[in-house]
Amino acid sequence: MPSYSPTQRVAIQQFTGITNVKDSAAAKQLKNHNWNLQQAVNAFYQSNNSAPAPSGADQSLNKLFDKYRDNPKDEPDTIGVEGSMRYLSDLGLSLEDPIVLAVLTELEAPTMGELTRKGFVEGWKRLRAPDLPTQKSHLPSLRHSLPLPSTEPTSLFHRTYRHTFRLALSPGQRTLPLDTALEYFRLLLSPPSLAWNTRSTPWLDLWLEYLQGKWKKAISKDVWEQTEVFVVKSLEDEGMGWWSEEGAWPSCLDEFVGFVRERRGNGTGREDGEEMEL
């Protein structure tokens, strides 16, 4: 391997772990994106997703879909709750695994307990995974990509986070009950998904404490989506130098900033390296 810096070698190792390509291909892709791992991974999957699906993929995926249908006669193009649970189990996944949310996002599932034929077939065709063994082999790449923080539209975390709000809604709901939202925040914002913590700030713990003790209301779509933006920015700069009271943030997040600063014991932030006690 050519001479690379320690940081570049780590990036190559991470890229190969996510995509299963050779070191040389990883280095080339990373160089093309100034060694930005997230941009390189996104570009890699965008390029691959435009490639033709394997021959016979439609037939194979439709056959697999039919295997899990709950009510073939009345709902021939739907997999219901029981079938969805059997399918996820056959993939080796449990509902406590955030990768379930990533899979359901890729398959454009309308709810947690439902898969549609179109989403199932088109989703796995896009990922070039026409059968169960290939689908299972694709899970490690999802597991590597999900914890990478980004609000880029192609980012797996961004797409999964946004789609989860739709998955979590019950029929007729426009907002998430607080208890439901808390569970999904825990699932999406802690390992093995994205870890919302920085060196001196336990962001997720503070967020959950604030929502339960101060906010105590349902979570709207706007609050849900703006929380993602807040999460990514706080991971980039935990001192919140990017924050402005004139910003168009929901009141929930405005008040959370005040809560964090109060817990820190000052109005602007903590000294570098000083850990916050809970």
Side-chain angles (χ1 to χ4, degrees):
M1 179 184 293
S3 177
Y4 295 112
S5 70
T7 300
Q8 290 172 339
R9 287 197 294 270
V10 169
I12 291 171
Q13 183 180 20
Q14 291 175 322
F15 190 95
T16 57
I18 294 170
T19 62
N20 294 317
V21 301
K22 294 182 178 179
D23 287 353
S24 57
K28 181 178 180 180
Q29 187 80 359
L30 285 161
K31 285 179 182 177
N32 289 340
H33 295 277
N34 296 317
W35 295 92
N36 184 301
L37 178 63
Q38 181 65 66
Q39 291 180 10
V41 169
N42 290 342
F44 173 83
Y45 281 117
Q46 278 187 305
S47 174
N48 279 353
N49 288 347
S50 64
S55 177
D58 280 65
Q59 181 179 357
S60 176
L61 286 165
N62 276 294
K63 184 177 180 180
L64 182 62
F65 183 89
D66 290 345
K67 174 183 175 182
Y68 293 98
R69 291 180 297 176
D70 296 327
N71 190 355
K73 182 178 179 180
D74 296 332
E75 296 181 301
D77 297 321
T78 300
I79 296 174
V81 175
E82 291 185 10
S84 296
M85 295 305 101
R86 286 194 294 115
Y87 175 64
L88 293 172
S89 177
D90 287 349
L91 282 177
L93 297 173
S94 70
L95 292 180
E96 291 74 31
D97 190 335
I99 299 304
V100 166
L101 301 175
V103 169
L104 296 180
T105 297
E106 297 288 16
L107 304 186
E108 298 181 3
T111 69
M112 278 298 293
E114 181 179 333
L115 294 169
T116 65
R117 184 183 298 275
K118 180 180 179 182
F120 186 90
V121 172
E122 294 301 320
W124 285 125
K125 276 177 61 179
R126 187 171 59 252
L127 297 172
R128 297 188 296 171
D131 52 52
L132 192 64
T134 311
Q135 292 163 13
K136 292 176 74 171
S137 71
H138 188 73
L139 298 181
S141 69
L142 296 179
R143 201 171 294 282
H144 277 89
S145 297
L146 187 60
L148 300 176
S150 175
T151 55
E152 291 292 324
T154 56
S155 155
L156 180 63
F157 174 77
H158 173 75
R159 291 185 292 110
T160 300
Y161 183 93
R162 291 295 182 95
H163 191 71
T164 295
F165 186 84
R166 176 185 175 188
L167 291 173
L169 286 176
S170 296
Q173 282 185 336
R174 296 173 63 91
T175 60
L176 287 181
L178 183 57
D179 288 347
T180 301
L182 291 171
E183 289 304 312
Y184 283 104
F185 281 133
R186 289 188 183 98
L187 200 57
L188 286 166
L189 301 177
S190 62
S193 185
L194 177 69
W196 191 21
N197 287 296
T198 50
R199 184 172 61 175
S200 62
T201 308
W203 289 102
L204 178 59
D205 290 340
L206 291 171
W207 178 237
L208 299 178
E209 180 185 344
Y210 162 74
L211 291 176
Q212 290 176 294
K214 300 288 187 179
W215 182 249
K216 300 180 182 180
K217 304 174 188 175
I219 300 298
S220 68
K221 184 178 181 181
D222 182 51
V223 169
W224 180 269
E225 293 183 351
Q226 289 302 307
T227 298
E228 179 205 8
V229 177
F230 188 100
V231 167
V232 173
K233 286 184 174 293
S234 65
L235 289 172
E236 294 170 350
D237 173 16
E238 69 173 334
M240 296 189 289
W242 43 269
W243 179 265
S244 169
E245 293 183 359
E246 284 74 42
W249 295 93
S251 60
C252 179
L253 288 166
D254 279 327
E255 293 172 14
F256 176 60
V257 170
F259 176 80
V260 172
R261 287 175 171 170
E262 181 181 334
R263 291 300 302 273
R264 285 174 168 174
N266 58 51
T268 58
R270 300 182 69 77
E271 297 297 325
D272 288 344
E274 185 181 355
E275 294 185 2
M276 183 186 300
E277 295 182 3
L278 287 177

